Amino acid sequence: MTAIANGRKAGAHDPFRITRRGLMLVLSSPSGAGKSSIAREILETDPEVEMSVSVTTRPRRPGEVDGRDYHFIDATDFNLMVNRDELLEHAKVFGNYYGTPRKPVMDALAEGRDVLFDIDWQGTQQLTERTADDLVRIFILPPSTAELERRLQTRAQDPPDVVAQRMAKAADEMSHYLEYDWVIVNRSLADSVDQVRAILTSERLRRRRQTGLSDFVKGLREGR
Ligand SMILES: Nc1nc2c(ncn2[C@@H]2O[C@H](COP(=O)(O)OP(=O)(O)OP(=O)(O)O)[C@@H](O)[C@H]2O)c(=O)[nH]1
Ligand SMILES: [Mg+2]
């Protein structure tokens, strides 16, 4: 696919690329709005983006892989990580604890790679307080309530009582769209993915993120 080829050409290891600091791309949405599908597509097609793998005390679901989907840990280890300040943010969601390990994120940003976060509004608020300059926040809305319910039901990963619980929470969660920089209504996966790519392209070009610019311009002015 050309998108991959182009991405590689301009990738983090391209010696001609202007050095930049990576950014933190946060995707939040109510359950079932399509955030995970969008994230998967971006990760598969953009080699400069990597996923932040959260720790969670939630039990692993069939099909989930430890270390890929989440690091599945118990409450004791979770508290240990909180106390050692090893989490960039953490929150309780649907009765389980979730948190973002700090070190992989910091390493990626310093190396000019972008990190994608699938976290809720509570985590986003904490990141806004701590790492605002690196943050790009996108909120995904469903096209309608009926469509949201349909997606939650056909996903078939959760029992009906959990679906009902998530629908009830959706209205609450959606009120947080005001705390995000960009809002996408997910009518079609392909369009939403294109829109996220457009945001990524723009945000990467921000002057403050292009840390190699002064050297580059110096070279230009010296005729190199
Ligand atoms: N604050 C915070 N939220 C997280 C983190 N990891 C996952 N979440 C959020 O926790 C919620 C539940 O995630 P999961 O247990 O994986 O369930 P899911 O079926 O993927 O839920 P939805 O994505 O909401 O449909 C989602 O809203 C995630 O965005 C994290 O490290 N921090
Ligand atoms: Mg999800």
Side-chain angles (χ1 to χ4, degrees):
M1 230 166 85
T2 49
I4 293 179
N6 289 340
R8 290 236 167 92
K9 249 192 208 158
H13 304 298
D14 178 350
F16 299 108
R17 198 190 77 156
I18 294 172
T19 310
R20 69 173 175 91
R21 180 165 170 82
L23 52 82
M24 300 166 71
L25 187 70
V26 171
L27 287 185
S28 298
S29 72
S31 266
K35 166 187 55 184
S36 302
S37 309
I38 295 170
R40 197 174 315 122
E41 195 74 18
I42 295 291
L43 287 166
E44 280 173 9
T45 53
D46 191 330
E48 290 185 53
V49 181
E50 64 183 62
M51 188 74 199
S52 164
V53 180
S54 297
V55 293
T56 184
T57 60
R58 163 167 83 59
R60 191 172 62 81
R61 293 176 186 151
E64 283 183 329
V65 177
D66 188 28
R68 182 194 71 187
D69 298 291
Y70 283 103
H71 300 287
F72 296 95
I73 62 176
D74 61 23
T76 310
D77 285 343
F78 188 91
N79 286 326
L80 215 58
M81 290 187 83
V82 172
N83 292 333
R84 289 181 184 151
D85 202 24
E86 289 172 2
L87 299 179
L88 259 183
E89 61 75 33
H90 59 93
K92 190 177 184 184
V93 189
F94 301 125
N96 296 297
Y97 292 95
Y98 296 82
T100 302
R102 181 190 303 277
K103 190 170 182 314
V105 177
M106 292 307 153
D107 291 349
L109 296 185
E111 288 160 20
R113 281 173 289 128
D114 305 315
V115 185
L116 183 64
F117 299 80
D118 173 343
I119 62 174
D120 81 331
W121 59 270
Q122 304 175 82
T124 308
Q125 281 187 351
Q126 294 172 42
L127 293 185
T128 302
E129 286 163 17
R130 286 164 208 179
T131 58
D133 276 0
D134 292 323
L135 210 55
V136 176
R137 300 164 298 186
I138 306 180
F139 200 81
I140 314 286
L141 289 171
S144 68
T145 303
E147 178 61 18
L148 183 68
E149 187 156 22
R150 196 191 63 75
R151 287 182 193 169
L152 278 176
Q153 277 161 359
T154 54
R155 199 158 70 161
Q157 273 189 330
D158 296 308
D161 59 319
V162 175
V163 171
Q165 186 196 352
R166 290 187 170 208
M167 275 307 287
K169 280 223 164 170
D172 231 29
E173 287 174 37
M174 280 188 280
S175 70
H176 291 279
Y177 78 95
L178 288 164
E179 294 151 27
Y180 289 72
D181 307 302
W182 306 90
V183 177
I184 293 175
V185 178
N186 185 22
R187 294 192 179 84
S188 105
L189 178 61
D191 287 351
S192 299
V193 169
D194 280 348
Q195 287 162 2
V196 172
R197 287 199 184 108
I199 293 167
L200 256 178
T201 301
S202 310
E203 292 282 0
R204 282 169 174 165
L205 291 171
R206 279 194 194 275
R207 177 163 46 80
R208 70 162 192 273
R209 296 211 165 99
Q210 301 197 62
T211 46
L213 263 187
S214 70
D215 279 350
F216 181 69
V217 174
K218 186 166 175 273
L220 286 178
R221 295 184 67 184
E222 288 167 1
R224 273 184 276 128

